[in-house]
Amino acid sequence: MPLSRKRKAITRDAQEEPGIASGDEFEGGLLNGTLDLSGDDDEDFENESNEDEGGELGSDGEEEEIGSDEIPSDEEQVNGDLIKSKKNNIEKEENDMQLDAEEDQPNYTVTTDANGNPRYLYDEIDPVYDSDDSDAPQTTNTIGNIPLSFYDQYPHIGYDIDGKRILRPANPKALDELLDKIEIPEGWTGLTDPATGKPLQLSKEELEILRKIQMNEVPEEGYDPYPATVEWFTSKQEIIPLSAAPEPKRRFVPSKHEAKRVMKIVKAIREGRILPYRSPEEEDEEADEKRFNYDIWANEAPRPDHPMNMPAPKLPPPGYDLSYHPPPEYIPDESEKKAWEEADKEDREKDYLPKNYDALRKVPGHDQFIKERFERSLDLYLAPRVRRTKLNIDPESLLPKLPSPETLRPFPTSCAAIFRGHNGRVRSIAINPMGQWAATGGDDGTVRIWQLVTGRQVWSVKLSDEPIDVVRWRPGRDTLILSAASGDDILLIVPPICDPEIENSSYEVLDAGWGYAKSNNAVKKETAAQWTRPTPRLTSSGVVIKITLRKPAKVITWHRRGEFFSTISPQGQSSAIAIHTLSKHLTQLPLRRLKGLPQAASFHPSKPIFFVATQHSIRCYDLSRQELLKILQPGARFISSLDVHPGGDNLIVGSYDKRLLWHDLDLSVRPYKTLRFHKRAVRAVRFHQGGLPLFADASDDGTVQVLHGMVVGDLMENATIVPLKVLRGHQVTGQLGVMDLDFHPREPWLVSAGADGTCRLWT
């Protein structure tokens, strides 16, 4: 066995050792005691040697044990040391032999592959590295971002790269912690590395970076916080330009975009939304001027003492320092007098110094009396008072200068013809687009057509027993169609006074809608109006179509194309405003939820915009997009009528509170001008549609006011409004004067209908 071989080698080596004189030292008692003392170093070797030696010594029967009270001599001690050194040499030789045997063994095995060739299979390499070399990589924790608090219940704090546990480092004792605190090592921070759980040590470079950051210094050496300025553009003027292209034309043409922006600013300035800059000092001064302080004791009369009477506050009585014989504590000493005399007048607390006199007769006069009188006389001499004269200003000179009416001709000035024939008042009058005929409707229920130049009646028809509220001609010269409103009915008439061709084309336009209505009668709906043929009596008189509404219509307005016309029934509520299509015999109610009672309506001359006037406001609707554009606020109590300028940017409004209002649609929702020339209500207003800058209004005071209204294309210039002429001739009947008026399509002529039963032509 290997143990027997080791034992024989030990016996043989001990005998060959030259340092031992004889074999007496290897007696049983001495060797046994030495091996027992060396048992703490190697238990395995002790057990094996005890077993072997016990066998050998037991055979001799000479083994003895040393008692605990026995003390070995010096000779025995030397022998024990020799035995111990010999034992260590034997162990070293055995270990070397084992290492040599392991190195001689190959780390592979030879096998054969599928082709019969030899194949070397090497053993797996043990990744464990147990060397104490300082170059060995430090064991790192591979748990990632997981907090170490998850491992508080375990003896390890993570795993290394080979999957083995990393044991938790032992916590130092209180004494060690105290020593570490007293003797602070270099790089000590007092922090714990969260990845390893060990104390965090920092290098000198890291500590220096932290110190610089804490002192607000640049952490990196060589960094310049204030580099030299790099000039992007040279200051030298180049002789040759970068571009020699000619100036573009757009630099000399005024920009339309800038003009629009300027007009917006001008509009805001006119409306008062943009005010000029005023410094805070000026605003404070203005606020002080506006502030009113009322003196409640200005005209106070003496009253008896009463709890409700608050007398004016009295001035404080003079103090002791104003006395001619003040107490000693009020009299200044020499230092106070000197300080008061050396101080400036502005810095002195008082303008005087208290003085002491034994008697009142010893008080001297005012020492500055002569100086004050001299300065007062000097002021009066250098700044004498001047008597201000009262300014005599003519109030008319404050009015703006308007052009003379003589320079604004032509305009109607006199009555050229009078149309008589109606029984009762004439409610409406209109001139046809060609300017030959004038149609009128009155309280007698008849519609009459007059020749405009001669004033002769050429045709009349009695439509009903109810009064004719309004008559209007259809625009266009290819037809001659007259619309009239009587009660709930709208009648479309073709008067037999024109050429046969025009008459036939008029019938074709009116009859075209019957076929459309017949082809679409499958859909039965509750219509806003009924389109029917009139009675034979009216048909023989020229009436072609009868439209029955829900409520009586008071206003008829035609579109410029003649295809549509609108009617207004103030009592109709949801069906008050209706738009009729002539070619389809169709009636629509676009505004069912209108706020207020409608009074008038008008189409824009060039855009799909519809103006509706209620009692207090005017609403502008876009018919194509079906939305509300704006709401005009004329400020009138009750609107009676309106008309749109041929240019489409201005309109005039008449009201029952005696006012005529001019609105600039591009300027503001408020009226640009408010004219008050009448003593009673304004019934009707009208623009001249033939290109002349004229407009007029009719009032219940029996007069017609003709005015000049020039509108220019320059957005910087406002409209010019000049009163021209007051036309008088109609009689006031039943507190009603002129009911309606209309301009000639080309000439500066005007027709008016009055409550006295007559119509007049003004030229």
Side-chain angles (χ1 to χ4, degrees), residues 10 80 101 124 255 287 319 334 413 606 636 669 674 732 761:
I10 292 171
E124 293 184 359
S255 175
E334 296 297 331
T413 58
S606 58
V669 296
T674 300
V732 178
L761 172 64

PDB file of all heavy atoms in Angstrom, residues 10 80 101 124 255 287 319 334 413 606 636 669 674 732 761:
ATOM      1  N   ILE A  10      10.316   7.110   4.858  1.00  0.00           N
ATOM      2  CA  ILE A  10      10.629   7.983   5.994  1.00  0.00           C
ATOM      3  C   ILE A  10      11.699   7.337   6.859  1.00  0.00           C
ATOM      4  O   ILE A  10      12.651   7.981   7.278  1.00  0.00           O
ATOM      5  CB  ILE A  10       9.359   8.262   6.819  1.00  0.00           C
ATOM      6  CG1 ILE A  10       8.389   9.121   5.997  1.00  0.00           C
ATOM      7  CG2 ILE A  10       9.681   8.959   8.148  1.00  0.00           C
ATOM      8  CD1 ILE A  10       7.029   9.259   6.632  1.00  0.00           C
ATOM      9  N   GLY A  80      13.222  17.096  19.122  1.00  0.00           N
ATOM     10  CA  GLY A  80      11.874  17.324  18.547  1.00  0.00           C
ATOM     11  C   GLY A  80      11.918  18.250  17.345  1.00  0.00           C
ATOM     12  O   GLY A  80      11.212  18.061  16.368  1.00  0.00           O
ATOM     13  N   ALA A 101       3.819  13.570 -11.457  1.00  0.00           N
ATOM     14  CA  ALA A 101       2.991  12.509 -12.044  1.00  0.00           C
ATOM     15  C   ALA A 101       1.805  13.087 -12.793  1.00  0.00           C
ATOM     16  O   ALA A 101       1.433  12.627 -13.867  1.00  0.00           O
ATOM     17  CB  ALA A 101       2.524  11.547 -10.940  1.00  0.00           C
ATOM     18  N   GLU A 124     -11.911  19.115 -20.574  1.00  0.00           N
ATOM     19  CA  GLU A 124     -12.454  20.463 -20.391  1.00  0.00           C
ATOM     20  C   GLU A 124     -11.567  21.275 -19.465  1.00  0.00           C
ATOM     21  O   GLU A 124     -11.006  20.752 -18.505  1.00  0.00           O
ATOM     22  CB  GLU A 124     -13.862  20.383 -19.793  1.00  0.00           C
ATOM     23  CG  GLU A 124     -14.872  19.767 -20.736  1.00  0.00           C
ATOM     24  CD  GLU A 124     -16.260  19.791 -20.150  1.00  0.00           C
ATOM     25  OE1 GLU A 124     -16.403  20.279 -19.016  1.00  0.00           O
ATOM     26  OE2 GLU A 124     -17.205  19.329 -20.834  1.00  0.00           O
ATOM     27  N   SER A 255     -46.666  97.258 -52.656  1.00  0.00           N
ATOM     28  CA  SER A 255     -47.099  95.921 -52.261  1.00  0.00           C
ATOM     29  C   SER A 255     -48.572  95.945 -51.852  1.00  0.00           C
ATOM     30  O   SER A 255     -48.986  96.750 -51.025  1.00  0.00           O
ATOM     31  CB  SER A 255     -46.241  95.408 -51.101  1.00  0.00           C
ATOM     32  OG  SER A 255     -46.727  94.175 -50.654  1.00  0.00           O
ATOM     33  N   ALA A 287     -54.933 111.510 -15.468  1.00  0.00           N
ATOM     34  CA  ALA A 287     -55.777 110.980 -14.387  1.00  0.00           C
ATOM     35  C   ALA A 287     -55.937 112.002 -13.268  1.00  0.00           C
ATOM     36  O   ALA A 287     -57.022 112.146 -12.685  1.00  0.00           O
ATOM     37  CB  ALA A 287     -55.170 109.681 -13.849  1.00  0.00           C
ATOM     38  N   GLY A 319     -47.357 126.207  18.478  1.00  0.00           N
ATOM     39  CA  GLY A 319     -46.703 125.506  19.571  1.00  0.00           C
ATOM     40  C   GLY A 319     -45.908 126.447  20.464  1.00  0.00           C
ATOM     41  O   GLY A 319     -45.890 127.677  20.291  1.00  0.00           O
ATOM     42  N   GLU A 334     -25.719 127.051  21.279  1.00  0.00           N
ATOM     43  CA  GLU A 334     -24.833 127.597  20.257  1.00  0.00           C
ATOM     44  C   GLU A 334     -24.548 126.590  19.148  1.00  0.00           C
ATOM     45  O   GLU A 334     -24.500 126.939  17.968  1.00  0.00           O
ATOM     46  CB  GLU A 334     -23.517 128.046  20.926  1.00  0.00           C
ATOM     47  CG  GLU A 334     -23.664 129.173  21.919  1.00  0.00           C
ATOM     48  CD  GLU A 334     -24.169 130.436  21.229  1.00  0.00           C
ATOM     49  OE1 GLU A 334     -23.883 130.610  20.026  1.00  0.00           O
ATOM     50  OE2 GLU A 334     -24.846 131.236  21.896  1.00  0.00           O
ATOM     51  N   THR A 413     -84.249 118.736 -58.907  1.00  0.00           N
ATOM     52  CA  THR A 413     -84.481 119.992 -58.176  1.00  0.00           C
ATOM     53  C   THR A 413     -85.936 120.452 -58.199  1.00  0.00           C
ATOM     54  O   THR A 413     -86.354 121.187 -57.295  1.00  0.00           O
ATOM     55  CB  THR A 413     -83.606 121.101 -58.762  1.00  0.00           C
ATOM     56  OG1 THR A 413     -83.900 121.254 -60.166  1.00  0.00           O
ATOM     57  CG2 THR A 413     -82.121 120.784 -58.584  1.00  0.00           C
ATOM     58  N   SER A 606     -73.291  92.136 -56.617  1.00  0.00           N
ATOM     59  CA  SER A 606     -72.337  91.309 -57.361  1.00  0.00           C
ATOM     60  C   SER A 606     -71.930  90.039 -56.622  1.00  0.00           C
ATOM     61  O   SER A 606     -71.296  89.188 -57.234  1.00  0.00           O
ATOM     62  CB  SER A 606     -71.070  92.125 -57.669  1.00  0.00           C
ATOM     63  OG  SER A 606     -70.469  92.597 -56.474  1.00  0.00           O
ATOM     64  N   ALA A 636     -80.160 102.292 -34.451  1.00  0.00           N
ATOM     65  CA  ALA A 636     -81.502 102.848 -34.601  1.00  0.00           C
ATOM     66  C   ALA A 636     -82.484 102.081 -33.719  1.00  0.00           C
ATOM     67  O   ALA A 636     -82.306 100.896 -33.429  1.00  0.00           O
ATOM     68  CB  ALA A 636     -81.941 102.787 -36.060  1.00  0.00           C
ATOM     69  N   VAL A 669     -68.745  97.934 -38.092  1.00  0.00           N
ATOM     70  CA  VAL A 669     -70.136  97.508 -37.987  1.00  0.00           C
ATOM     71  C   VAL A 669     -71.018  98.655 -37.518  1.00  0.00           C
ATOM     72  O   VAL A 669     -72.240  98.540 -37.554  1.00  0.00           O
ATOM     73  CB  VAL A 669     -70.255  96.313 -37.029  1.00  0.00           C
ATOM     74  CG1 VAL A 669     -69.503  95.111 -37.573  1.00  0.00           C
ATOM     75  CG2 VAL A 669     -69.739  96.667 -35.639  1.00  0.00           C
ATOM     76  N   THR A 674     -74.301 109.534 -39.562  1.00  0.00           N
ATOM     77  CA  THR A 674     -75.688 109.565 -39.125  1.00  0.00           C
ATOM     78  C   THR A 674     -76.252 110.941 -39.470  1.00  0.00           C
ATOM     79  O   THR A 674     -75.741 111.957 -38.982  1.00  0.00           O
ATOM     80  CB  THR A 674     -75.803 109.301 -37.620  1.00  0.00           C
ATOM     81  OG1 THR A 674     -75.245 108.012 -37.327  1.00  0.00           O
ATOM     82  CG2 THR A 674     -77.255 109.333 -37.176  1.00  0.00           C
ATOM     83  N   VAL A 732     -99.057 116.238 -46.089  1.00  0.00           N
ATOM     84  CA  VAL A 732     -99.105 115.266 -44.994  1.00  0.00           C
ATOM     85  C   VAL A 732    -100.559 114.956 -44.706  1.00  0.00           C
ATOM     86  O   VAL A 732    -101.355 115.851 -44.385  1.00  0.00           O
ATOM     87  CB  VAL A 732     -98.397 115.816 -43.742  1.00  0.00           C
ATOM     88  CG1 VAL A 732     -98.508 114.811 -42.598  1.00  0.00           C
ATOM     89  CG2 VAL A 732     -96.945 116.132 -44.045  1.00  0.00           C
ATOM     90  N   LEU A 761     -92.954 113.369 -60.276  1.00  0.00           N
ATOM     91  CA  LEU A 761     -91.694 113.161 -60.985  1.00  0.00           C
ATOM     92  C   LEU A 761     -90.825 114.384 -60.760  1.00  0.00           C
ATOM     93  O   LEU A 761     -91.218 115.505 -61.101  1.00  0.00           O
ATOM     94  CB  LEU A 761     -91.935 112.933 -62.477  1.00  0.00           C
ATOM     95  CG  LEU A 761     -90.676 112.893 -63.363  1.00  0.00           C
ATOM     96  CD1 LEU A 761     -89.778 111.711 -62.988  1.00  0.00           C
ATOM     97  CD2 LEU A 761     -91.070 112.822 -64.845  1.00  0.00           C
TER      98      LEU A 761
END
